[in-house]
């Protein structure tokens, strides 16, 4: 039962352009969403998060958008840089009985070409 | 401020042996989580612990796997009688006791290979 889905296994973008990574979820109890970046042989690094009471959160080049009615969130990176090349995971949690447990998507490999 | 420390980084075991994975949370964090990542997959939640307490172990396999977070020392994920299917990357995360408690910070992982 894949409650968090990242349907694009990979994304290729030119340096300086916008990268848009998408994530869908099915569990309406999820109320907090996070994006992590992961390089090979390293652990995931926290990027940005958003609570379900908001529809947008911005931090520098990274913006996360949440559409609760569509159960969809996206991460925008602008401008994209070669150092952004990594695997990006979205994750979700609910504040109820499953507090503390993050449910991850399968990841999207982002490649930013110079 | 040191991050989440996991050791060993790589662990090789033969089938039937025991594997012990250690995790020291970030300073000031009292919540520890363990996740497993199989090849080409996302991270899967295993267990959530606070000091001396298991809060949620809904992702732990029913047999051979156990976890603890003692009052002193690191959290330990223990796998008894390992099988080839246990080969994976195991990640530990921690979160703070107050403030942004929803954000989990990850260690570099332990890559377990079962021969």
């Amino acid at each position: 039962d894949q409650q968090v889905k990242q349907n694009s296994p990979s994304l290729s973008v030119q340096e300086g352009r916008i990268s848009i990574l998408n994530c869908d979820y099915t569990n309406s109890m999820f109320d907090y969403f996070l994006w992590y970046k992961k390089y090979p042989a390293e652990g995931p690094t926290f990027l940005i998060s958003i609570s379900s009471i908001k529809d947008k959160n911005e931090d520098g080049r990274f913006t996360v958008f949440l559409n609760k009615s569509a159960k969809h969130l996206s991460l925008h990176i602008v401008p994209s840089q070669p150092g952004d090349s990594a695997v990006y995971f979205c994750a979700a949690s609910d504040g109820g009985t499953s507090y503390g447990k993050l449910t991850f998507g399968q990841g999207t490999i982002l490649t930013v070409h110079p | 401020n040191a991050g989440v420390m996991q050791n060993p980084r790589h662990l090789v075991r033969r089938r039937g042996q025991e594997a012990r994975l250690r995790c020291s949370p970030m300073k000031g964090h009292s919540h520890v989580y363990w996740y497993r990542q199989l090849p080409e997959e996302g991270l899967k939640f295993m267990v959530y612990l606070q000091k001396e307490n298991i809060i949620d172990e809904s992702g732990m396999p029913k047999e051979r796997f156990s976890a603890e977070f003692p009052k002193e020392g690191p959290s330990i994920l223990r796998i008894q009688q390992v099988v080839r299917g246990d080969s994976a990357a195991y990640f530990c995360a921690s979160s703070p006791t107050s403030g942004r408690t929803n954000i989990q910070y990850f260690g570099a992982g332990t890559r377990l290979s079962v021969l």
Side-chain angles (χ1 to χ4, degrees), chain B residues 14-15 17 21 24 30-31 37-38 48 59-60 64 66 71 82 86 88 91-92 100 107 109 115:
Chain B
R14 297 191 179 279
R15 281 179 295 171
Q17 291 185 320
L21 289 64
S24 295
S30 60
H31 304 249
Q37 184 183 26
L38 296 170
Y48 164 30
M60 287 280 270
R64 302 186 298 107
S66 62
K71 188 175 179 182
V82 296
D86 297 332
F91 292 97
C92 170
R100 304 185 78 181
L115 304 179

Side-chain angles (χ1 to χ4, degrees), chain B residues 2-71:
Chain B
V4 177
M5 303 301 293
Q6 289 190 249
N7 67 83
R9 291 292 309 274
H10 300 275
L11 183 61
V12 179
R13 286 286 178 267
R14 297 191 179 279
R15 281 179 295 171
Q17 291 185 320
E18 178 179 288
R20 282 187 179 232
L21 289 64
R22 294 174 186 78
C23 169
S24 295
M26 287 177 70
K27 188 176 181 181
H29 290 193
S30 60
H31 304 249
V32 166
Y33 315 82
W34 286 94
Y35 294 82
R36 176 166 66 176
Q37 184 183 26
L38 296 170
E40 310 301 324
E41 293 187 11
L43 283 75
K44 296 283 196 289
F45 170 81
M46 299 180 75
V47 62
Y48 164 30
L49 310 105
Q50 294 179 19
K51 285 283 187 183
E52 301 184 281
N53 281 306
I54 296 175
I55 306 303
D56 180 355
E57 56 181 348
S58 59
M60 287 280 270
K62 294 288 185 283
E63 298 177 349
R64 302 186 298 107
F65 284 72
S66 62
E68 63 175 6
F69 188 16
K71 188 175 179 182

Side-chain angles (χ1 to χ4, degrees), chain B residues 66-79:
Chain B
S66 62
E68 63 175 6
F69 188 16
K71 188 175 179 182
E72 301 291 336
S75 175
I76 306 286
L77 179 67
R78 182 183 178 205
I79 312 172

Side-chain angles (χ1 to χ4, degrees), chain A residues 69-87:
Chain A
S69 60
K71 293 191 176 69
H72 176 84
L73 65 153
S74 61
L75 174 68
H76 292 210
I77 307 173
V78 67
S80 302
Q81 300 172 353
D84 295 330
S85 297
V87 181

Side-chain angles (χ1 to χ4, degrees), chain A residues 52-109:
Chain A
S52 60
I53 62 174
K54 294 185 174 182
D55 54 20
K56 177 183 174 182
N57 189 24
E58 191 172 353
D59 184 1
R61 296 186 298 117
F62 302 93
T63 303
V64 56
F65 295 92
L66 175 62
N67 182 335
K68 287 189 294 293
S69 60
K71 293 191 176 69
H72 176 84
L73 65 153
S74 61
L75 174 68
H76 292 210
I77 307 173
V78 67
S80 302
Q81 300 172 353
D84 295 330
S85 297
V87 181
Y88 287 77
F89 291 98
C90 68
S93 70
D94 80 56
T97 56
S98 295
Y99 179 80
K101 170 183 175 181
L102 290 181
T103 301
F104 282 83
Q106 311 95 303
T108 296
I109 302 170

